[in-house]
Amino acid sequence: MKKILLAIILIISGTFMTSAFLNMNLQAEAKEKSMSSKLAKNLKKGTFPDAYGKIGLLKKNLKSHNGLLVTPFIEDTIGDDYYVFNSSNPTPNSKIILIERSYTYLISSSSIKKKLGKELKYYSLSNSVQENRTSFYKAGKYYVSIYKFSSISDTYTILQVGTKKAIMNSYDVIFY
């Protein structure tokens, strides 16, 4: 009797685990999207679609919208974007050097390569860049970093667009 009950429990739990695993795989695959042409064009202009500012814009000209500005030491947002300035204590004449935005899905590597071209090679000064998760591209005169992460409970892509120096400082890398 015990063997029969044990067999039934194993069959039921095995079926449940298999279906749960298949559902997780389907959900993970559904969260990957292609990079839009609009996003790629905006990155080449040093901004994001519907952003309140762009690279090189002065702080005084940045439209504030239900949020605060970002300095290298304070992380507050305007909308969904983080803005970093060329000064740790920004004045109205400080320029935006980096903008960051997070997406709740993965952007496919093939679409990134198609829209932005070849991935840049780099040397990490502090080994802080996580291999296979962060990639760097040149988009027009600006530089883009793309950090992708996916687990069972969380999936996201973080994009940064900025000057070469700002991206290198953000990740502690040197491009070659």
Side-chain angles (χ1 to χ4, degrees):
M1 182 71 169
K2 289 181 183 179
K3 290 181 181 180
I4 293 173
L5 286 174
L6 182 60
I8 291 171
I9 291 171
L10 287 174
I11 290 171
I12 292 172
S13 64
T15 303
F16 174 75
M17 293 301 286
T18 302
S19 65
F21 180 73
L22 290 174
N23 285 339
M24 285 188 300
N25 282 343
L26 291 175
Q27 288 174 354
E29 290 174 15
K31 289 185 179 185
E32 184 169 291
K33 297 182 180 182
S34 295
M35 178 180 274
S36 70
S37 295
K38 184 178 180 180
L39 175 58
K41 286 178 186 176
N42 277 271
L43 290 173
K44 291 175 183 178
K45 293 177 183 178
T47 190
F48 287 99
D50 304 318
Y52 295 99
K54 65 179 191 173
I55 304 303
L57 187 71
L58 299 178
K59 179 182 173 186
K60 67 183 176 186
N61 297 331
L62 182 63
K63 301 174 191 172
S64 180
H65 180 77
N66 296 331
L68 301 171
L69 305 178
V70 173
T71 69
F73 305 105
I74 302 171
E75 292 191 355
D76 291 320
T77 64
I78 294 180
D80 294 328
D81 300 329
Y82 291 93
Y83 291 85
V84 179
F85 297 92
N86 61 349
S87 167
S88 60
N89 190 13
T91 65
N93 290 324
S94 295
K95 290 183 180 182
I96 297 172
I97 59 169
L98 188 135
I99 306 171
E100 179 180 299
R101 182 178 283 183
S102 296
Y103 293 90
T104 57
Y105 54 86
L106 296 178
I107 298 176
S108 73
S109 297
S110 60
S111 70
I112 293 169
K113 185 176 181 181
K114 182 178 179 181
K115 304 283 189 203
L116 299 179
K118 194 171 142 181
E119 187 175 340
L120 297 176
K121 294 181 181 182
Y122 63 91
Y123 173 75
S124 177
L125 297 172
S126 66
N127 295 323
S128 65
V129 178
Q130 295 185 8
E131 296 296 327
N132 300 324
R133 289 196 181 163
T134 305
S135 50
F136 301 96
Y137 299 87
K138 190 162 189 316
K141 66 179 186 177
Y142 302 105
Y143 286 75
V144 176
S145 70
I146 302 173
Y147 176 84
K148 298 194 293 185
F149 179 81
S150 181
S151 69
I152 292 172
S153 62
D154 206 12
T155 299
Y156 57 88
T157 303
I158 299 173
L159 273 75
Q160 290 183 332
V161 62
T163 63
K164 181 178 182 179
K165 183 178 178 183
I167 294 290
M168 288 191 321
N169 288 342
S170 181
Y171 283 91
D172 207 15
V173 297
I174 295 175
F175 299 120
Y176 61 90

